[in-house]
Amino acid sequence: MNVHVTKTVPITFKMVVDGYQKVRQGGKAAGIDNESWETFDKDVEKNLYVIWNRLASGSYHPQPVRETEIPKKDGKMRTLGIPTLRDRIAQCVVKDYMECKIDKDFHQHSYGYRPMKSGKEAIEQVRQNCFAYDWVIDMDISKFFDEIDHALLIKAVERVIEEKWVIMYVKRWLSAEVIDKDGIAKTRNGKGTPQGGVISPLLANLFLHFAFDKWMGIYHPQVAFVRYADDIVAHCYTKISAEQTLLSIKARLQQVGLRLNEQKTKLVYCKDYKRKEKHANVQFDFLGYSYQPRARKNPKERWLYTAFTAEISRSNQKKIREAVKETVYWRNTVIDIQQVAEMLNPKLRGWLNYYGLYSKDKLRMLMDYVEKKITGWIRKKYKITSVKASYAKLKSIRQEKPLLFYHWEKGY
């Protein structure tokens, strides 16, 4: 089969194969049709050909999106929309096509869900901005993905994309029905793009590119900001500037059909050894990190000073402890320590590589907690009565196999 053949729409079979390979590495949850990857892969070439044939002829129509809920940090529920596997592949094809054309025009400090951009870069940029600016506007847009206005979003797509077939497919995905957890079909009523859709992050970035990024450049060029999808922090030199900017942003978001969550949006003072004003808020969270005043030691002169810097947030420390408890059934003494390591290492690798960027004190405490859980398991496994003896046993294992656990490999 010639993978470069196109039909009415300039989509090749290779583009569909590439989309499948990307999406296949992601979530396994089935859509409304209950088709699993195992079922799809039984006749993968035929199934991909059907998707390509419909996409390339302009006759592809998405199925309804299955709605589900997951818990949020605050105990409330977040609504996700799960498209079918086939819709995910089709969305990936169009997303990749759009991305090649428009990503270069996005703001340099927009980091979320973009090729060659990362959360780590966003975290570092916020850290640098906190050194340079005294005040932070910590923003939370209320129900952003649910409230995106379709008419404005299509207008944004039309500003950057000439191809009518792209706009046609975006409209079809936006207008696809939603099937809620009770099996009831709902229409979107001209609002929202489901979290869970492959193309949704790109559409969200495009919406905020015009609604926020470009607007900030025109009306508040003196204000620095970092955006990761709808997670935004802005930096100002003075409190007055921060207050005025926040009022202006509220008005702007109302213009585009969005609003700030008043309870979660706040002004934060970047207090350190030079900035000594009193303010109620001296801490904010961003992408799993907490930015706040912390005691630091001067490496040369060994005196303590206060720095405003980043460290893993309390909520994520709690999540890691819970994950350590749940990843291994610590009462199971039939398994060996190699199996314990195989269960823990993928998570340890992710945590240490992400949260080990700055201020590792809290991370060391978490790794001490991991050691405590392993030691407790050793005590049960080898029927050791003394805590001291169980730690000695773990020490001997570490000496024998220093790379067994990922945190050992990293020196924790």
Side-chain angles (χ1 to χ4, degrees), residues 110-130:
S110 166
Y111 295 90
Y113 307 104
R114 293 182 58 192
M116 311 306 291
K117 292 280 190 177
S118 73
K120 289 181 180 180
E121 290 176 300
I123 291 160
E124 172 61 16
Q125 187 60 55
V126 169
R127 197 172 79 100
Q128 293 298 327
N129 287 350
C130 288

Side-chain angles (χ1 to χ4, degrees), residues 261-328:
N261 184 323
E262 297 286 349
Q263 292 181 324
K264 294 183 179 179
T265 297
K266 61 187 178 184
L267 297 187
V268 178
Y269 181 52
C270 301
K271 189 172 184 177
D272 61 15
Y273 73 100
K274 289 182 179 178
R275 299 179 284 205
K276 299 178 180 180
E277 293 179 29
K278 289 186 177 180
H279 192 265
N281 297 322
V282 292
Q283 180 270 332
F284 69 95
D285 288 356
F286 181 71
L287 300 187
Y289 276 82
S290 173
Y291 294 76
Q292 65 187 70
R294 303 179 200 277
R296 289 292 174 263
K297 185 179 287 186
N298 182 295
K300 293 182 179 178
E301 300 175 23
R302 299 188 177 277
W303 45 266
L304 290 175
Y305 67 100
T306 302
F308 192 91
T309 188
E311 192 171 70
I312 180 174
S313 68
R314 284 186 180 181
S315 60
N316 282 288
Q317 291 174 48
K318 183 179 178 182
K319 279 184 181 179
I320 288 177
R321 287 191 180 91
E322 289 171 352
V324 171
K325 286 180 186 176
E326 294 169 3
T327 300
V328 179

